[in-house]
Structure formats: structure tokens, C-alpha cells
Amino acid sequence: IVLSIVINTIVLVITALYIPQGGLTIEPLSWTATPLLLIVGAIFWLMYWVIRKILKFLATPINILTLGIASIIINMLILYIFQYVVNSLNLGIEVTFEA
């Protein structure tokens, strides 16, 4: 679990730094904010591996009827919920996702 959280944190930081058209910004990105970034990575891991699986299970009939398009909507919903949760916790890090 810890390795997965670290990898998620690294992926979030690399996405925010090197893919500007990806629409993800994380402020501040610095070495001093590393513990906070790890907390953000843990929140992302929790949302992706727990909440996403529950939503996918609940939306299975809709996903079958729409031939998988519901999965895209669930992924976007998870990203927006992630942004809301991180910004609501007032950790000192602001996450902005623009699709």
C-alpha cells in the first residue's frame, strides 16, 4: 500500500509538472511540501482504489448498456471529487483539475 501511495504521488507530481495540457495543477510543488504531497497521494489512492471500485460495481448495469462510456464518467467524477476533498481539507496544497 505504501509503495502504491508513493507511486501515485510521483505520478501526480509528474503529471502536474510535465503535462500542462493535462489540466492538473498542484500548488505548491516544492521539496518542503513532500509530506503534504504524500498525504494527497494517499487520498488519491484511497479514492481510486476504494471509491472507484464501489462506483464501478454500482454502475455495472449502466456500463453494460452504454458499452463502457459510464467508466469514463466515473473516472472524471473521481477526479472532481478528489479535487474537492483535497481543497476542502485545507492542507496547504491546492489541486485544480480542468477538463
Side-chain angles (χ1 to χ4, degrees), residues 51-67:
I51 297 173
R52 181 176 166 261
K53 290 190 187 279
I54 293 169
L55 286 176
K56 281 198 149 214
F57 176 74
L58 293 174
T60 299
I62 297 170
N63 204 12
I64 291 171
L65 289 174
T66 61
L67 301 174

Side-chain angles (χ1 to χ4, degrees), residues 23-46:
L24 177 69
T25 56
I26 300 174
E27 294 294 329
L29 274 176
S30 64
W31 287 106
T32 57
T34 302
L36 295 175
L37 288 172
L38 287 171
I39 293 171
V40 169
I43 293 170
F44 184 73
W45 176 83
L46 182 71

Side-chain angles (χ1 to χ4, degrees), residues 68-86:
I69 293 177
S71 294
I72 296 169
I73 295 169
I74 289 172
N75 288 336
M76 295 296 289
L77 181 66
I78 289 295
L79 287 174
Y80 282 116
I81 293 171
F82 168 70
Q83 173 188 339
Y84 176 76
V85 168
V86 170

